[in-house]
Amino acid sequence: GQGVGSNGVVELTTELNRAKEPVPLRWLSLAHNRVGADGVSALVKSDPAKLNLYHLDARGNGLTLAQRAALQARFPDAVIEA
């Protein structure tokens, strides 16, 4: 609930994609952060070699079923709360 929003998620994933090594980030809470389509898209397009989540909390963002499915497809081993 810190108001990260889609822009914050885009910035986060951009930095993670630039990392030279895989990032040890495994749990990400974006609950109640006004994450919309652009934020979901940024997560889905993130480099799998750099970001491999085990848990993603995206509750309270009003994600559609398609967005939830896209996140689950991108992070197949993760628990995704949406």
Side-chain angles (χ1 to χ4, degrees), residues 35-70:
V35 175
D38 290 342
V40 171
S41 179
L43 285 168
V44 169
K45 292 177 182 175
S46 63
D47 184 346
K50 304 282 178 68
L51 182 61
N52 183 22
L53 296 176
Y54 298 149
H55 187 101
L56 173 61
D57 186 350
R59 293 174 293 160
N61 290 298
L63 302 183
T64 66
L65 289 176
Q67 289 170 327
R68 293 175 187 186

Side-chain angles (χ1 to χ4, degrees), residues 9-54:
V9 175
V10 169
E11 287 181 38
L12 173 68
T13 56
T14 298
E15 290 303 314
L16 294 176
N17 287 336
R18 287 182 187 158
K20 294 180 187 209
E21 299 292 327
V23 179
L25 178 65
R26 299 293 179 250
W27 192 91
L28 181 60
S29 177
L30 295 171
H32 307 284
N33 270 288
R34 294 175 282 165
V35 175
D38 290 342
V40 171
S41 179
L43 285 168
V44 169
K45 292 177 182 175
S46 63
D47 184 346
K50 304 282 178 68
L51 182 61
N52 183 22
L53 296 176
Y54 298 149

